[in-house]
Coordinates of all heavy atoms in Angstrom, one line a residue:
T1 N 0.8 -1.2 0.0 CA 0.0 0.0 0.0 C 0.9 1.3 0.0 O 0.4 2.3 -0.5 CB -1.0 0.0 1.2 OG1 -0.2 -0.2 2.4 CG2 -2.0 -1.1 1.1
D2 N 2.0 1.2 0.6 CA 3.0 2.3 0.5 C 4.3 1.7 0.7 O 4.5 0.4 0.9 CB 2.7 3.4 1.5 CG 2.8 3.0 3.0 OD1 3.8 2.3 3.3 OD2 1.9 3.3 3.8
K3 N 5.4 2.4 0.7 CA 6.8 1.8 0.7 C 7.1 1.2 2.0 O 8.1 0.5 2.1 CB 7.8 2.9 0.3 CG 7.9 4.0 1.2 CD 8.9 5.0 0.7 CE 9.0 6.2 1.5 NZ 10.0 7.2 1.0
N4 N 6.3 1.3 3.0 CA 6.6 0.7 4.3 C 5.5 -0.3 4.8 O 5.6 -0.8 5.9 CB 6.7 1.8 5.4 CG 7.9 2.7 5.1 OD1 9.0 2.2 4.7 ND2 7.8 4.0 5.3
T5 N 4.5 -0.6 3.9 CA 3.5 -1.5 4.4 C 3.2 -2.6 3.3 O 2.9 -2.3 2.2 CB 2.2 -0.7 4.6 OG1 2.4 0.4 5.5 CG2 1.1 -1.6 5.2
V6 N 3.2 -3.8 3.8 CA 2.9 -5.0 2.9 C 1.7 -5.6 3.6 O 1.7 -5.9 4.8 CB 4.0 -6.0 2.8 CG1 3.5 -7.2 2.0 CG2 5.2 -5.4 2.1
T7 N 0.6 -5.8 2.9 CA -0.6 -6.4 3.4 C -0.9 -7.7 2.7 O -0.8 -7.8 1.4 CB -1.8 -5.5 3.3 OG1 -1.5 -4.2 3.9 CG2 -3.0 -6.1 3.9
N8 N -1.2 -8.8 3.4 CA -1.6 -10.0 2.8 C -3.2 -10.1 2.9 O -3.7 -10.2 4.0 CB -1.0 -11.2 3.5 CG 0.5 -11.3 3.2 OD1 0.9 -11.1 2.1 ND2 1.2 -11.5 4.2
E9 N -3.8 -10.1 1.7 CA -5.3 -10.2 1.6 C -5.6 -11.6 1.4 O -5.1 -12.3 0.5 CB -5.8 -9.3 0.5 CG -5.7 -7.8 0.8 CD -6.3 -7.0 -0.3 OE1 -6.9 -7.6 -1.3 OE2 -6.2 -5.8 -0.2
F10 N -6.6 -12.1 2.1 CA -7.1 -13.5 1.9 C -8.0 -13.5 0.6 O -8.9 -12.7 0.5 CB -7.9 -13.9 3.1 CG -8.5 -15.3 2.9 CD1 -7.7 -16.4 3.1 CD2 -9.8 -15.5 2.6 CE1 -8.2 -17.7 2.9 CE2 -10.4 -16.8 2.5 CZ -9.5 -17.9 2.6
V11 N -7.6 -14.3 -0.3 CA -8.3 -14.4 -1.6 C -8.5 -15.9 -1.9 O -7.5 -16.7 -1.9 CB -7.6 -13.8 -2.7 CG1 -8.3 -13.9 -4.0 CG2 -7.3 -12.3 -2.4
V12 N -9.8 -16.3 -2.2 CA -10.0 -17.7 -2.5 C -9.7 -17.8 -4.0 O -10.3 -17.1 -4.8 CB -11.5 -18.1 -2.2 CG1 -11.8 -19.5 -2.7 CG2 -11.8 -17.9 -0.7
P13 N -8.9 -18.8 -4.4 CA -8.6 -19.0 -5.8 C -9.9 -19.4 -6.6 O -10.7 -20.1 -6.0 CB -7.6 -20.1 -5.9 CG -7.1 -20.3 -4.5 CD -8.1 -19.7 -3.6
E14 N -10.0 -19.0 -7.8 CA -11.1 -19.4 -8.6 C -11.0 -20.7 -9.3 O -11.5 -20.9 -10.4 CB -11.5 -18.2 -9.5 CG -11.9 -17.0 -8.8 CD -12.4 -15.9 -9.7 OE1 -12.9 -16.2 -10.8 OE2 -12.4 -14.7 -9.4
E15 N -10.2 -21.6 -8.7 CA -10.0 -22.9 -9.3 C -11.4 -23.7 -9.4 O -12.2 -23.5 -8.5 CB -9.0 -23.8 -8.5 CG -7.6 -23.3 -8.5 CD -6.7 -24.2 -7.7 OE1 -6.8 -25.4 -7.8 OE2 -5.9 -23.6 -6.9
K16 N -11.5 -24.5 -10.4 CA -12.7 -25.3 -10.6 C -12.3 -26.8 -10.6 O -11.2 -27.2 -10.8 CB -13.3 -25.0 -12.0 CG -13.7 -23.5 -12.2 CD -14.9 -23.2 -11.4 CE -15.3 -21.7 -11.7 NZ -16.4 -21.2 -10.9
V17 N -13.3 -27.6 -10.2 CA -13.2 -29.0 -10.3 C -14.3 -29.5 -11.2 O -15.3 -28.9 -11.4 CB -13.3 -29.7 -8.9 CG1 -12.1 -29.4 -8.0 CG2 -14.6 -29.4 -8.2
L18 N -14.1 -30.7 -11.8 CA -15.1 -31.3 -12.6 C -15.7 -32.5 -11.8 O -15.0 -33.3 -11.3 CB -14.5 -31.9 -13.9 CG -13.8 -30.8 -14.8 CD1 -13.2 -31.5 -16.0 CD2 -14.9 -29.8 -15.3
V19 N -17.0 -32.4 -11.7 CA -17.8 -33.4 -11.0 C -18.6 -34.1 -12.0 O -19.6 -33.6 -12.6 CB -18.7 -32.8 -9.9 CG1 -19.5 -33.9 -9.2 CG2 -17.8 -32.1 -8.9
K20 N -18.2 -35.4 -12.4 CA -19.0 -36.1 -13.4 C -20.0 -37.0 -12.7 O -19.7 -37.8 -11.9 CB -18.1 -37.0 -14.2 CG -18.8 -37.7 -15.3 CD -17.9 -38.4 -16.3 CE -18.7 -39.0 -17.4 NZ -17.8 -39.6 -18.4
A21 N -21.3 -36.7 -13.0 CA -22.4 -37.4 -12.5 C -22.9 -38.4 -13.6 O -23.0 -38.0 -14.7 CB -23.6 -36.5 -12.1
V22 N -23.1 -39.6 -13.2 CA -23.5 -40.7 -14.1 C -24.7 -41.4 -13.6 O -24.9 -41.7 -12.5 CB -22.3 -41.7 -14.3 CG1 -22.7 -42.9 -15.2 CG2 -21.0 -41.1 -14.7
K23 N -25.6 -41.7 -14.6 CA -26.8 -42.4 -14.3 C -26.7 -43.8 -15.0 O -26.4 -43.9 -16.1 CB -28.0 -41.7 -15.0 CG -29.3 -42.4 -14.9 CD -29.7 -42.3 -13.5 CE -31.1 -42.9 -13.3 NZ -31.4 -43.0 -11.9
K24 N -27.0 -44.9 -14.2 CA -26.9 -46.2 -14.7 C -28.3 -46.9 -14.4 O -28.9 -46.6 -13.4 CB -25.8 -47.0 -14.0 CG -24.4 -46.6 -14.5 CD -23.4 -47.6 -14.1 CE -22.0 -47.1 -14.6 NZ -21.0 -48.1 -14.3
W25 N -28.6 -47.8 -15.3 CA -29.9 -48.5 -15.2 C -29.7 -50.0 -15.0 O -28.9 -50.6 -15.7 CB -30.7 -48.3 -16.4 CG -31.1 -46.9 -16.7 CD1 -30.4 -46.0 -17.5 CD2 -32.1 -46.1 -16.1 NE1 -30.9 -44.7 -17.4 CE2 -32.0 -44.8 -16.6 CE3 -33.1 -46.5 -15.2 CZ2 -32.9 -43.8 -16.2 CZ3 -34.0 -45.5 -14.9 CH2 -33.9 -44.1 -15.4
E26 N -30.4 -50.6 -14.1 CA -30.4 -52.0 -13.9 C -31.8 -52.5 -14.2 O -32.6 -52.6 -13.2 CB -29.9 -52.5 -12.5 CG -28.4 -52.2 -12.4 CD -27.9 -52.7 -11.0 OE1 -28.6 -53.3 -10.2 OE2 -26.7 -52.4 -10.7
D27 N -32.2 -52.6 -15.5 CA -33.5 -52.9 -15.8 C -33.6 -53.8 -17.1 O -34.6 -53.8 -17.8 CB -34.4 -51.6 -16.0 CG -33.8 -50.8 -17.1 OD1 -32.8 -51.1 -17.8 OD2 -34.5 -49.7 -17.4
N28 N -32.5 -54.6 -17.3 CA -32.5 -55.5 -18.4 C -32.8 -54.8 -19.7 O -33.7 -55.2 -20.5 CB -33.4 -56.7 -18.2 CG -33.0 -57.9 -19.1 OD1 -31.9 -57.9 -19.5 ND2 -34.0 -58.8 -19.2
N29 N -32.1 -53.6 -19.9 CA -32.2 -52.8 -21.2 C -33.7 -52.4 -21.4 O -34.2 -52.5 -22.4 CB -31.7 -53.6 -22.4 CG -31.4 -52.6 -23.5 OD1 -31.1 -51.5 -23.3 ND2 -31.4 -53.1 -24.7
N30 N -34.3 -51.9 -20.3 CA -35.6 -51.3 -20.3 C -36.7 -52.4 -20.7 O -37.6 -52.1 -21.5 CB -35.7 -50.1 -21.2 CG -36.9 -49.2 -20.9 OD1 -37.5 -49.3 -19.8 ND2 -37.3 -48.4 -21.8
E31 N -36.5 -53.6 -20.2 CA -37.3 -54.7 -20.5 C -38.8 -54.4 -20.4 O -39.6 -54.9 -21.3 CB -37.0 -55.9 -19.6 CG -37.9 -57.1 -19.7 CD -37.5 -58.2 -18.8 OE1 -36.8 -58.0 -17.8 OE2 -37.8 -59.4 -19.1
Y32 N -39.3 -53.7 -19.4 CA -40.7 -53.5 -19.2 C -41.2 -52.1 -19.8 O -42.3 -51.7 -19.6 CB -41.1 -53.6 -17.8 CG -40.8 -55.0 -17.2 CD1 -39.9 -55.1 -16.1 CD2 -41.3 -56.1 -17.7 CE1 -39.6 -56.3 -15.6 CE2 -41.0 -57.4 -17.2 CZ -40.2 -57.5 -16.2 OH -39.9 -58.7 -15.7
G33 N -40.2 -51.3 -20.4 CA -40.6 -50.0 -20.9 C -41.0 -49.0 -19.9 O -41.7 -48.1 -20.2

């Protein structure tokens, strides 16, 4: 902020994660429709 002051500001990084959601069926290939 000036030549005699250093400040550390808390900042949350804007990193992202990938969350893969998967749907599975156990219905004998939709046997009953």
Side-chain angles (χ1 to χ4, degrees):
T1 53
D2 63 44
K3 62 183 177 181
N4 294 319
T5 308
V6 175
T7 306
N8 289 314
E9 290 181 4
F10 180 76
V11 178
V12 177
E14 294 188 25
E15 290 180 48
K16 302 286 184 184
V17 293
L18 296 177
V19 177
K20 185 172 184 176
V22 177
K23 176 70 176 176
K24 288 192 177 180
W25 299 95
E26 290 184 6
D27 61 359
N28 201 20
N29 201 24
N30 200 18
E31 175 181 20
Y32 301 120

